[in-house]
Amino acid sequence: MARFYKKRSANKGLPPGSLVFIGTKKVDTPTVEYVSYDQENFTESEFLRVENVPKNDPEKRQWYNITGLDNEEFMAHIQERLNIHPLAMEDVMNTGQRAKFEEFEDFAFTTLKMLQFDSKASRVITEQVSFVIKGTTLITFQEEPGDTFDAVRKRLRNPKSNIRKLGPDYLAYALMDSIVDNYVYLIEGMGEKVDDLELKILEDPDEDALQQINMYKRELHFILKVVRPVRELTHNLIRTESEFIDKKKTLAFYKDLDDLITHVIESAEAYRQVLTDYLQVYHTNVSAKMNDIMKVLTIFSAIFIPLSFFAGVYGTNFDYFPELHFKYSYFIFWGVIVTMAGGMLYYFKRKGWF
Amino acid sequence: MARFYKKRSANKGLPPGSLVFIGTKKVDTPTVEYVSYDQENFTESEFLRVENVPKNDPEKRQWYNITGLDNEEFMAHIQERLNIHPLAMEDVMNTGQRAKFEEFEDFAFTTLKMLQFDSKASRVITEQVSFVIKGTTLITFQEEPGDTFDAVRKRLRNPKSNIRKLGPDYLAYALMDSIVDNYVYLIEGMGEKVDDLELKILEDPDEDALQQINMYKRELHFILKVVRPVRELTHNLIRTESEFIDKKKTLAFYKDLDDLITHVIESAEAYRQVLTDYLQVYHTNVSAKMNDIMKVLTIFSAIFIPLSFFAGVYGTNFDYFPELHFKYSYFIFWGVIVTMAGGMLYYFKRKGWF
Amino acid sequence: MARFYKKRSANKGLPPGSLVFIGTKKVDTPTVEYVSYDQENFTESEFLRVENVPKNDPEKRQWYNITGLDNEEFMAHIQERLNIHPLAMEDVMNTGQRAKFEEFEDFAFTTLKMLQFDSKASRVITEQVSFVIKGTTLITFQEEPGDTFDAVRKRLRNPKSNIRKLGPDYLAYALMDSIVDNYVYLIEGMGEKVDDLELKILEDPDEDALQQINMYKRELHFILKVVRPVRELTHNLIRTESEFIDKKKTLAFYKDLDDLITHVIESAEAYRQVLTDYLQVYHTNVSAKMNDIMKVLTIFSAIFIPLSFFAGVYGTNFDYFPELHFKYSYFIFWGVIVTMAGGMLYYFKRKGWF
Amino acid sequence: MARFYKKRSANKGLPPGSLVFIGTKKVDTPTVEYVSYDQENFTESEFLRVENVPKNDPEKRQWYNITGLDNEEFMAHIQERLNIHPLAMEDVMNTGQRAKFEEFEDFAFTTLKMLQFDSKASRVITEQVSFVIKGTTLITFQEEPGDTFDAVRKRLRNPKSNIRKLGPDYLAYALMDSIVDNYVYLIEGMGEKVDDLELKILEDPDEDALQQINMYKRELHFILKVVRPVRELTHNLIRTESEFIDKKKTLAFYKDLDDLITHVIESAEAYRQVLTDYLQVYHTNVSAKMNDIMKVLTIFSAIFIPLSFFAGVYGTNFDYFPELHFKYSYFIFWGVIVTMAGGMLYYFKRKGWF
Amino acid sequence: MARFYKKRSANKGLPPGSLVFIGTKKVDTPTVEYVSYDQENFTESEFLRVENVPKNDPEKRQWYNITGLDNEEFMAHIQERLNIHPLAMEDVMNTGQRAKFEEFEDFAFTTLKMLQFDSKASRVITEQVSFVIKGTTLITFQEEPGDTFDAVRKRLRNPKSNIRKLGPDYLAYALMDSIVDNYVYLIEGMGEKVDDLELKILEDPDEDALQQINMYKRELHFILKVVRPVRELTHNLIRTESEFIDKKKTLAFYKDLDDLITHVIESAEAYRQVLTDYLQVYHTNVSAKMNDIMKVLTIFSAIFIPLSFFAGVYGTNFDYFPELHFKYSYFIFWGVIVTMAGGMLYYFKRKGWF
Ligand SMILES: [Mg+2]
Ligand SMILES: [Mg+2]
Ligand SMILES: [Mg+2]
Ligand SMILES: [Mg+2]
Ligand SMILES: [Mg+2]
Ligand SMILES: [Mg+2]
Ligand SMILES: [Mg+2]
Ligand SMILES: [Mg+2]
Ligand SMILES: [Mg+2]
Ligand SMILES: [Mg+2]
Ligand SMILES: [Mg+2]
Ligand SMILES: [Mg+2]
Ligand SMILES: [Mg+2]
Ligand SMILES: [Mg+2]
Ligand SMILES: [Mg+2]
Ligand SMILES: [Mg+2]
Ligand SMILES: [Mg+2]
Ligand SMILES: [Mg+2]
Ligand SMILES: [Mg+2]
Ligand SMILES: [Mg+2]
Ligand SMILES: [Mg+2]
Ligand SMILES: [Mg+2]
Ligand SMILES: [Mg+2]
Ligand SMILES: [Mg+2]
Ligand SMILES: [Mg+2]
Ligand SMILES: [Mg+2]
Ligand SMILES: [Mg+2]
Ligand SMILES: [Mg+2]
Ligand SMILES: [Mg+2]
Ligand SMILES: [Mg+2]
Ligand SMILES: [Mg+2]
């Protein structure tokens, strides 16, 4: 499958707002994790059937975390029960979505990707996470079980944590922050590997190093394509004039998130530039090594090919060949040969070839 | 013919608003497809003669789809009957038009290209489609039969579809969306091929791979030249202050289209970058392979050229040549030869040449 | 002479507004073409002496077309008679001027270049054209006879043409449009040649192709340097708030011109990028071809150099050389030789060298 | 450790505002340097225990300089005693912070890096310095003892200096200016080395030069990553509308600082470009040198390989070989040989090979 | 000394506004050239002692031209006598200043560089010139005697010149214009040399050409670093809202200057791009030339190495060697040899190698 695309062509020609899953099927049974919380109370439960999921109640702080997007019937039930706009729902189910923050009349929609390095395949893999903030309710969608949210869940269970005091905008921040923290972790890991490559490139530039450069460059390029729109997202978020983000209590945290994602992007770009520089150095180094090889070849050839010719001359069978019959011919021959070889060596030495 | 141009010079020196067809003749008989629709009623018909085409009626929702632009007389009739501004009509007939959205006093004009990959010629081919929105009427122009509109036609026949409830701005959106969806499909296809090239470049970089890189780079470059102005088009569309787009009902869809075209452009750019990286890796790989070839040559030459010289010496015909007459000369000779060859091999081995 | 400059240093140190011709002398006798026109009336005449030229009359539509800028005395007369601001006049006579649109209190000044490809010298040559719009009068200046204005002159003689109905702003548009149309024509021609180069680069990359790439790159670079400021010019023109351009009747045409010049620039940039890609492919192809040459050399050398050594051994003249005296030695020798050669060939075959 | 990162992942999953040290432990005993000053009075003292540090007094000009960030308990005490916002405190302790200026309701926060070239490791090392301006108090934080502040300390002890007359915004400026002055010093030093490299690259491009180019490019890249955000910082500072900077008395100095940091960035970019150019010249030079080597090889081979063949022919043992028996054969043979060699030499000479 | 820096570190740690000379000492005796002028009156004198210099008189048009900046005592006197702000004075004396236009309450400050090509050192050298406009007075500072101002001095002596009618803003313009005119002259000269290089690069790319490319690239890079801020300067100047520039009478001239500096920058960038293209062509050309060398080598080797082997075979001394004894062996041998050589030649010919 094409790397920079989920098979978007699956919904080619359909009307907008069609609930078509675009992506790779990953889950058999979609689930809904439900949390209702305020500073004193806390309820946590999980549902397999949509009809059992509590309706969203404008008076209560609620978090619905839906896992598994590929069951179109299930998703249609969710949309109906939680009353989500079709265009937002379409974006939730299209896992090839570009990260964005969009405001509608009565809800805010955000989508971005969780990233993970699959070291077997030497590939970064993505999982799309979408956020719907609607009144006091937060709804999140992810493709499959497993996420970066566990630390947040833990803080949520603690009645003294900030997260229990503030609204769904803060909870959404905490979850996005955990995703972006994971970007940091990912790039830190790749960066260490990239830094280790440098010595290898300078001293022993072999094909394996070339493949490594190429692989990291490709993956950083992919990460940047996924992560750059996240900065647009946070930029739009902190400039929003709507009520979805509490300007007094939550905005400062989103600014902190904006700093962090800027840091992520600059670091990924820095490593990409480093790799581009490596490739140039590698290439130049390969050329320089070829010069060394050529010098060895040329020195041997330039010395021995003429000498062989002279030996060949004295191996000819001309009847009349006076030198052959002088007594010291053979020794003179060696004298000339050694002088010539020495002269050549001196010449190459002076040229700085060895 | 020059790739990035239709023969624009055809109307060199003519006054603006001249109806001159610029492009390649593709159709013998131009036709007009006519649809009149609202939520209850639906009429569909096709005309070959302009005088039979119903005039546009400000009370009715109407779609005129004109196919075939090269018959200048026919186009003049159309212009007159549907009352289209000469500058807009000139742009319709100039198929080398840059995509754009332009507002006039009483109508809005949009033009862009449909794209298709001609796998025989390994070239992307284009067909220009123009849109005129005027009151409740939509007029579209295309170069030849065959388009991306069939799914829209089907939805149009369905009395319950959104498209029947909304005005010509929504119909225009649906048609443009089908065109941009097709861009996605096109780049998805090319992307898969590009991804497949990677292994080949790293392992067996032959001339065929080079031609493939070049071909995809060229075609993506062409696509980007055609598609980048479409983003300007949608950006202008969603920022328009005029009445041609219904801010309440249709604008959100055009924003969705703007997202999609951004995705298309970023993906095409991503693949173009990938190909540039491939080319660098290819080049470096070719240099590295040459090193291998040179090593083989140098090892053989550096070992055997000196040995040949020694054989040559003992093949000379000097009368006085003491070594030739010793009993074990020949065996000593072989001993020296084998030692020298071994020494050279050891030297090259230590240099890491094999 | 330096390509990107007319000898501007000619007026080094002079006060601003000095009438110094900067450029190459091209004309012996400067002339003034004079047209006075409205919808009914039309007069056309040519003058060699400034004192005979009708003064500009604020009531009449007039076009003065001055050809030949290098006669400083003549130009001073023109300036006086037609009452032109010294800074504008200085720019008219400095043919190394960057294209621009500038508004003064009572007139608007525009300058740009006509372009032509001199195929003998493989160079684009320029001729500067300047426009002064002042009330109902248009004054144009060019360096030498011959221009792109003939089609406009013809339309001007036709009493029914648009050009007769509208003011000097429209006439100026028509003339600039003819200049920009000529840019299109020029780049179309170069584009066809560039497209033809591709096959050559991929299949037979010789020195001639390299020179062609270089020449087209250089010329497109030059064209872009000349043409990019023209877009700034049209951008400023369509954003002007002054009265020199009729917002109702003429502005739409200048917008069309702005589209066209954008198209010109993007196409020139596209071809320049194509040539940069060609150069990279060319270079990579040259490296790949060298690999082929090296393989031929290495195969021959690696097979025959060792064999020559063996022949050399059996050509030595050692007294005691047992193998020479065996009956089948010579045939065994050939057997060994053929086996060795076959082994080497098999080795290179397996390496994929041929 | 990854170069472009401090181990940020250390606080992965923690709530924002957590006081976690991110960086390398550098100090055993954190200290607080305390200065209280106005035009007449000046007190200076150092504390190891937070409870002894005077509280900040809104009536007095005070500077707290805290050295050593890795003791989390100590830092928590500092935060409490000096009453610092948790988000600011978190940034202080995360030494991988991007430089920035941020305004909170009652204080301004700034962070940037001191730079130093570690010539043993051929690496630039960083130390993070953060500034909190709060009323008449300035609090600074650094990672370890040793800084660029000594000249400022000296001026502070002088009762006539400007620094004694103005508020903590001016003191903060003076300290930041000392940091940025040090950037100048650092880049000056590297620049001299880079300039010295040029001759080496042009005349004797060896592997050592390649490593030097690579090292300086890498370090300048690193410096730029650290320093570019400092310009954003000063840009934001001089555009602030808050009261933290005295518009009348201090702003002009921050503008001067903004000039200086622009100069630093442009110089670092200039040297980076110079190094990129060097690398290209180096690579081209290596290729050109290889041509010279190949010419030597080819001249020797093309002359002597054919000659050896001829010698070989006259060394064959055919029974019937008429030329061998002519009297002057041997001399004719030499004549032919010398003529051929001369012909070849003349051919290569004419080709301009030597 | 580092190229892109004057030793700025000389004032490291000093308080802002310190009068420290940063640069190379060039002058022993600083001088003050004093001109007082209006339309009727004109006085001109030169002073070596500051106390003799007339004080600036708000009623009179005065020009003070100070030459020689390295005498710190002298400069302190000047500052005091002419009453100049310390921050401006510090910038005057720091000759590594970035060009800029800065407005203070009662004066405007401008600084930029004069450029000159030192053809012996193949380096562009700079001299910093600063302008202080204060009421009706203009003060200029330069590093050493000799400047581009002579033509302006001449116009100033002419009572009818514009310069005598207008204020110090116009005089400042005239002086800056003379500096920028000199940039034009400099780049014109380099451009001619660069244009001449093209043929050499295409036909005979030797090491000398490579050094030339490198030199011009380096110098243009340096010029651009110096000149780009001058455009910022003029942009700021023509947008200023203060009273230092007379909007009616002088502004148009500064706009003209802005045009000219834009032209300078674009030309320098154009030549830099041309040189980058040359370098690529050079490199490709070197690779192509190597192919030619390799072809010669390969043709000779591939023809004669096998032939030598065959000669070697017939030179072996096997007792039983039937072919040697056939009568026509020798002639058959030559026939085979010639056929083989011809076959090889035909093969290389068909490959297009010569
Ligand atoms: Mg769609
Ligand atoms: Mg969508
Ligand atoms: Mg995903
Ligand atoms: Mg930020
Ligand atoms: Mg780089
Ligand atoms: Mg190479
Ligand atoms: Mg036209
Ligand atoms: Mg048009
Ligand atoms: Mg088309
Ligand atoms: Mg977007
Ligand atoms: Mg790349
Ligand atoms: Mg390359
Ligand atoms: Mg001038
Ligand atoms: Mg001018
Ligand atoms: Mg010209
Ligand atoms: Mg446009
Ligand atoms: Mg490219
Ligand atoms: Mg190469
Ligand atoms: Mg965090
Ligand atoms: Mg933070
Ligand atoms: Mg640090
Ligand atoms: Mg930055
Ligand atoms: Mg600045
Ligand atoms: Mg680089
Ligand atoms: Mg460069
Ligand atoms: Mg190369
Ligand atoms: Mg300073
Ligand atoms: Mg300063
Ligand atoms: Mg200077
Ligand atoms: Mg300009
Ligand atoms: Mg280039």
Side-chain angles (χ1 to χ4, degrees), chain C residues 33-297:
Chain C
E33 182 188 349
Y34 172 80
V35 181
S36 153
Y37 67 98
D38 61 22
Q39 239 173 314
E40 290 95 42
N41 307 299
F42 180 81
T43 327
E44 200 174 0
S45 32
E46 196 170 317
F47 301 94
L48 293 179
R49 305 183 58 96
V50 178
E51 54 269 36
N52 299 335
V53 176
K55 290 210 161 186
N56 44 349
D57 172 351
E59 309 279 293
K60 268 160 76 179
R61 286 186 191 144
Q62 293 168 303
W63 175 26
Y64 299 84
N65 180 30
I66 289 100
T67 301
L69 308 175
D70 48 34
N71 186 325
E72 287 165 15
E73 195 187 349
F74 180 88
M75 292 302 281
H77 285 165
I78 287 287
Q79 178 187 4
E80 193 191 46
R81 186 150 189 96
L82 301 182
N83 192 15
I84 300 169
H85 190 285
L87 274 180
M89 207 63 192
E90 187 191 20
D91 286 355
V92 163
M93 290 182 66
N94 174 350
T95 63
Q97 202 56 42
R98 195 174 182 262
K100 67 172 170 177
F101 167 71
E102 219 171 348
E103 291 166 286
F104 291 76
E105 229 169 302
D106 61 338
F107 70 97
F109 177 76
T110 306
T111 186
L112 74 171
K113 299 274 188 295
M114 292 190 283
L115 297 179
Q116 212 182 320
F117 192 74
D118 174 350
S119 54
K120 265 183 214 160
S122 290
R123 296 242 148 185
V124 171
I125 50 179
T126 65
E127 182 183 351
Q128 180 162 309
V129 188
S130 305
F131 296 77
V132 173
I133 299 181
K134 198 172 173 178
T136 57
T137 299
L138 171 69
I139 312 167
T140 56
F141 296 88
Q142 48 178 296
E143 298 183 51
E144 53 179 333
D147 53 34
T148 62
F149 298 165
D150 284 339
V152 179
R153 284 188 185 93
K154 217 165 113 189
R155 277 148 62 195
L156 196 52
R157 288 184 198 112
N158 176 359
K160 288 184 185 152
S161 75
N162 223 3
I163 219 166
R164 289 281 284 275
K165 296 178 202 147
L166 297 167
D169 54 340
Y170 186 83
L171 176 56
Y173 153 73
L175 296 170
M176 287 182 211
D177 187 57
S178 77
I179 292 171
V180 176
D181 266 353
N182 216 50
Y183 297 167
V184 171
Y185 179 75
L186 175 72
I187 295 180
E188 256 181 45
M190 295 181 72
E192 280 177 37
K193 299 270 174 56
V194 170
D195 286 348
D196 292 350
L197 265 178
E198 191 185 20
L199 208 68
K200 196 162 171 45
I201 266 78
L202 278 167
E203 297 193 346
D204 174 24
D206 63 10
E207 213 162 305
D208 187 54
L210 184 59
Q211 293 206 6
Q212 295 252 62
I213 292 174
N214 189 51
M215 186 269 277
Y216 285 119
K217 237 180 137 179
R218 184 193 66 211
E219 293 309 304
L220 284 166
H221 181 44
F222 179 68
I223 290 172
L224 279 166
K225 179 156 190 295
V226 168
V227 168
R228 274 201 193 107
V230 179
R231 181 161 51 177
E232 281 178 42
L233 181 168
T234 57
H235 274 29
N236 291 342
L237 249 167
I238 63 184
R239 273 162 198 73
T240 182
E241 277 158 19
S242 68
E243 302 294 284
F244 300 112
I245 306 300
D246 186 324
K247 300 280 172 307
K248 281 243 156 138
K249 294 183 191 148
T250 322
L251 190 64
F253 296 102
Y254 279 104
K255 281 184 180 165
D256 198 79
L257 185 62
D258 187 53
D259 275 11
L260 192 58
I261 191 72
T262 299
H263 186 75
V264 163
I265 291 170
E266 289 186 356
S267 300
E269 283 168 347
Y271 280 117
R272 196 157 204 274
Q273 184 59 45
V274 162
L275 287 163
T276 297
D277 289 352
Y278 282 1
L279 195 59
Q280 256 189 315
V281 167
Y282 180 100
H283 184 86
T284 301
N285 217 346
V286 162
S287 291
K289 291 233 174 302
M290 181 148 9
N291 270 9
D292 290 342
I293 296 170
M294 293 305 303
K295 281 176 190 167
V296 170
L297 175 60

Side-chain angles (χ1 to χ4, degrees), chain A residues 158-316:
Chain A
N158 175 0
K160 288 185 185 148
S161 76
N162 223 3
I163 219 165
R164 288 281 284 276
K165 296 177 203 148
L166 297 166
D169 54 340
Y170 186 85
L171 176 57
Y173 153 72
L175 296 169
M176 287 182 212
D177 187 57
S178 77
I179 292 173
V180 176
D181 266 352
N182 216 50
Y183 297 168
V184 171
Y185 178 75
L186 174 71
I187 295 180
E188 256 181 45
M190 296 181 71
E192 281 177 34
K193 300 269 175 56
V194 169
D195 286 348
D196 292 350
L197 265 177
E198 191 186 20
L199 208 67
K200 196 162 171 43
I201 267 76
L202 277 168
E203 297 193 345
D204 175 24
D206 65 8
E207 214 162 305
D208 187 53
L210 184 60
Q211 293 204 9
Q212 295 253 65
I213 293 174
N214 189 50
M215 186 270 275
Y216 284 118
K217 235 179 139 178
R218 185 192 66 213
E219 292 311 302
L220 283 165
H221 181 45
F222 180 68
I223 289 172
L224 279 167
K225 181 159 189 295
V226 168
V227 168
R228 274 202 193 106
V230 179
R231 182 163 48 177
E232 281 178 42
L233 182 169
T234 56
H235 274 31
N236 292 340
L237 249 166
I238 62 185
R239 274 162 197 72
T240 183
E241 278 158 19
S242 69
E243 303 293 285
F244 299 113
I245 306 301
D246 186 322
K247 300 282 171 304
K248 283 242 157 140
K249 295 183 192 147
T250 322
L251 191 63
F253 296 103
Y254 278 105
K255 281 183 182 167
D256 198 78
L257 185 62
D258 187 53
D259 274 10
L260 192 57
I261 191 74
T262 297
H263 186 74
V264 163
I265 291 171
E266 289 184 357
S267 301
E269 283 168 346
Y271 281 117
R272 196 159 205 273
Q273 184 59 44
V274 163
L275 287 163
T276 297
D277 289 351
Y278 282 1
L279 195 59
Q280 259 189 312
V281 168
Y282 181 101
H283 184 86
T284 299
N285 218 345
V286 162
S287 290
K289 291 231 174 305
M290 181 148 8
N291 271 8
D292 290 342
I293 297 172
M294 291 306 304
K295 281 177 191 167
V296 169
L297 175 59
T298 301
I299 290 170
F300 274 95
S301 301
I303 291 175
F304 286 103
I305 290 180
L307 300 190
S308 286
F309 162 68
F310 283 105
V313 167
Y314 293 97
T316 54

